[in-house]
Amino acid sequence: MAAAFCSLHQGSSLKKLQYYHMRQSYATRSYPGALTSNASKKSSMCCCTAQNFVRGVRISRSEFKKEILCWRVFSGSLANYADNANDGESGEDVPKATLIWRAVKLPIYSVALVPLTVGGAAAYLQTGIFSARRYLLLLVSSILIITWLNLSNDVYDFDTGADKNKKESVVNLVGSRSVAFIAAYSSLLLGFAGLAWTSIGAGNIHAILFLAFAIICGYVYQCPPFRLSYQGLGEPLCFAAFGPFATSAFYLLLGSTSEMSILPLTGTILSASLLVGFTTTLILFCSHFHQVEEDKAVGKFSPLVRLGTERGSGVMKVAVTTLYSLLFAFGLSRTLPLTCILLCSLTLPVGKLVIGFVEENYKEKGKIFMAKYFCVRLHALFGAALATGLVAARAFQGYSL
């Protein structure tokens, strides 16, 4: 704010001070509680001096600096008031539209899109073919499977009491466990039917086995009698399901032709699937930051319950660093094309953003809630860069598997 008042032109300085004086007067009328803190009292004290300056009273350079400091303090008090208001909204008065948006979890559906797209891009690199019809059918089926995962997770967390105070839980929103349960398993049946039909059409039994293993990982993760997520095994299951199993299965399905029904599992698709599994697991890990207390109360020992949020923020830093280390290692070994390394490297600022956000906010439950969405952004951008790099590699005649 000091920079706003550093102009030596008297007219601009007068206008700016008058504008901030008007803001202070409005805040006093609209938010009487906002000026009860010591910081706000200081800001009200500096108001008189500001008025004198606006009226043309000359002040010294040191006094002018004090004015700047006073306005800084006042601005900070308003910011704190706004933060408290937002915290109240997130706690008790969240609009229903916001709760519905959180329950739908639309950004999370990138975990259906990324493995499919990366697997298809790897198949295109290998064969030079792409079936848009098969891709769209697999996409719809994958979205239905993710819908089952989200709904069944809410159902079973409702049963254990983990979602008792979670307003954006689908069960709490619709007010019926049965409706959520029926919708979940209807989605599972339709999704698996679509995957099986596509696999039979492609004549690739290996792909449907991989996809079945991925779904089994999802079931034992959250459904009774297993509920392995309560033992802290959710992250390894997530990595296996979305990485090696799903991504490799989509590669086999989208690369299958009448001449070649079974593609070889190359180092390229295996390394790409590992990276996809890694970024997907980051989303799940960060989704526990804001519910450590609730998980601990119902005996759900997620990694963050065991580690604590402070150590968990350190794990995130190591994990993101490992992600890019693996990327460069795959590039040096020529397991992945150079185009993938270059394009995925462009997502490094997003990786740093994730680390910085978690390190700064892991103690603040109201803010750390957004960490998983930062990870979704990293997952989507990294996956898009990886898929684009695989497709672009096909265009370079000098590249060979």
Side-chain angles (χ1 to χ4, degrees):
M1 186 175 292
F5 293 103
C6 282
S7 172
L8 297 180
H9 300 288
Q10 185 180 14
S12 63
S13 298
L14 287 170
K15 289 179 181 178
K16 290 170 185 175
L17 280 172
Q18 189 173 16
Y19 169 71
Y20 278 95
H21 169 59
M22 291 172 62
R23 278 184 60 189
Q24 194 270 351
S25 299
Y26 174 76
T28 306
R29 294 194 302 270
S30 302
Y31 306 109
L35 298 178
T36 58
S37 65
N38 292 334
S40 300
K41 289 178 181 177
K42 291 180 182 179
S43 67
S44 61
M45 289 172 60
C46 75
C47 179
C48 296
T49 311
Q51 285 179 328
N52 292 337
F53 183 71
V54 173
R55 291 170 184 165
V57 178
R58 295 179 62 86
I59 59 175
S60 67
R61 183 180 182 88
S62 61
E63 290 174 332
F64 186 71
K65 288 182 178 179
K66 291 180 181 179
E67 298 294 332
I68 295 173
L69 180 60
C70 287
W71 286 114
R72 277 181 175 177
V73 172
F74 172 67
S75 178
S77 68
L78 282 184
N80 290 335
Y81 179 84
D83 285 343
N84 292 334
N86 290 335
D87 289 342
E89 181 182 80
S90 64
E92 297 295 337
D93 303 320
V94 180
K96 190 166 185 178
T98 302
L99 292 175
I100 293 173
W101 170 257
R102 291 179 182 176
V104 172
K105 302 174 184 175
L106 191 60
I108 302 297
Y109 283 84
S110 64
V111 301
L113 181 63
V114 170
L116 176 61
T117 305
V118 171
Y124 177 78
L125 173 63
Q126 181 76 13
T127 64
I129 62 171
F130 175 76
S131 173
R133 178 177 173 274
R134 190 176 293 177
Y135 177 90
L136 291 175
L137 181 57
L138 289 171
L139 178 60
V140 172
S141 301
S142 300
I143 289 173
L144 288 169
I145 297 296
I146 300 303
T147 301
W148 161 69
L149 283 172
N150 288 335
L151 290 176
S152 61
N153 181 67
D154 282 359
V155 168
Y156 294 122
D157 278 352
F158 174 82
D159 290 344
T160 62
D163 282 357
K164 181 180 179 181
N165 299 318
K166 187 178 179 182
K167 292 188 175 183
E168 65 267 23
S169 167
V170 174
V171 178
N172 291 332
L173 282 175
V174 302
S176 173
R177 178 192 184 279
S178 299
V179 170
F181 182 86
I182 292 171
Y185 281 91
S186 298
S187 300
L188 174 61
L189 290 175
L190 290 173
F192 188 76
L195 295 175
W197 188 61
T198 306
S199 300
I200 293 171
N204 197 314
I205 192 65
H206 295 87
I208 192 60
L209 288 175
F210 281 172
L211 291 171
F213 287 143
I215 292 173
I216 290 171
C217 286
Y219 187 89
V220 299
Y221 162 73
Q222 62 193 11
C223 301
F226 306 100
R227 289 189 174 128
L228 296 183
S229 62
Y230 281 65
Q231 308 304 319
L233 298 176
E235 280 69 14
L237 290 169
C238 176
F239 175 82
F242 290 96
F245 287 145
T247 306
S248 299
F250 292 139
Y251 160 80
L252 293 174
L253 289 175
L254 292 171
S256 298
T257 63
S258 55
E259 293 81 13
M260 182 185 294
S261 59
I262 300 179
L263 285 177
L265 288 174
T266 63
T268 298
I269 182 57
L270 292 176
S271 58
S273 69
L274 292 177
L275 295 176
V276 171
F278 210 103
T279 56
T280 309
T281 305
L282 292 178
I283 300 174
L284 178 60
F285 185 83
C286 279
S287 69
H288 299 303
F289 267 104
H290 69 289
Q291 53 189 30
V292 170
E293 295 176 1
E294 291 83 353
D295 287 347
K296 187 184 297 185
V298 298
K300 186 176 182 179
F301 294 101
S302 68
L304 282 170
V305 170
R306 298 176 184 274
L307 294 172
T309 55
E310 183 175 3
R311 291 171 65 186
S313 67
V315 170
M316 276 299 299
K317 185 174 184 178
V318 173
V320 174
T321 304
T322 303
L323 172 68
Y324 288 97
S325 298
L326 284 174
L327 172 69
F328 293 124
F330 291 147
L332 290 174
S333 63
R334 295 186 60 81
T335 307
L336 284 176
L338 180 61
T339 49
C340 291
I341 312 305
L342 293 176
L343 291 175
C344 289
S345 297
L346 298 178
T347 66
L348 268 167
V350 185
K352 291 179 65 178
L353 179 65
V354 170
I355 293 173
F357 182 83
V358 173
E359 286 184 337
E360 291 175 10
N361 300 293
Y362 70 86
K363 293 182 179 179
E364 301 184 43
K365 185 177 178 180
K367 293 181 179 180
I368 199 61
F369 174 86
M370 294 300 297
K372 64 181 178 182
Y373 294 109
F374 281 90
C375 288
V376 168
R377 186 184 305 178
L378 174 62
H379 173 68
L381 292 175
F382 193 95
L386 184 58
T388 304
L390 291 168
V391 172
R394 180 77 187 185
F396 291 94
Q397 299 299 322
Y399 176 79
S400 58
L401 291 172

